Amino acid sequence: MTTTSKNTDSSKPDMTPEEALSNCLLSQYRFCAGGVLGGAAYGIKAKKGVVPMVIAGVAGTVSDLVYGYVKACKGEVVEYQRNNGNTGSGN
């Protein structure tokens, strides 16, 4: 099950490319939720407290942003780069 940009409000005609990309990236949550749940389960079972939950949640959040930028929000990224003159080559 993947999250695509079709599930966001980026299809609204009055949205700027920046808003569309922000909405798409911020709609990614699966890795964060999975990390928090997995970290909480591990923290309870291993009696480690909340540290595993926090670490897994942060790692999941970073994974969500990377996944959104590379795969799920590819159309919004291309549109944003086209409107801002960025080629993505580090210019």
Side-chain angles (χ1 to χ4, degrees):
M1 179 165 74
T2 60
T3 303
T4 62
S5 60
K6 296 174 192 165
N7 294 337
T8 65
D9 292 333
S10 62
S11 60
K12 290 182 180 177
D14 58 339
M15 291 183 74
T16 65
E18 292 85 3
E19 292 171 331
L21 181 57
S22 294
N23 283 346
C24 184
L25 288 175
L26 293 175
S27 70
Q28 308 301 315
Y29 63 89
R30 286 183 174 83
F31 292 122
C32 180
V36 168
L37 291 174
Y42 176 75
I44 291 169
K45 181 154 179 81
K47 296 185 170 113
K48 300 275 186 186
V50 298
V51 174
M53 181 177 66
V54 171
I55 292 172
V58 169
T61 300
V62 171
S63 299
D64 282 329
L65 290 174
V66 170
Y67 175 78
Y69 191 81
V70 172
K71 180 144 174 103
C73 304
K74 188 67 172 170
E76 286 81 358
V77 170
V78 169
E79 183 66 26
Y80 174 78
Q81 290 175 342
R82 183 179 13 209
N83 284 349
N84 290 323
N86 298 331
T87 61
S89 61
N91 291 340

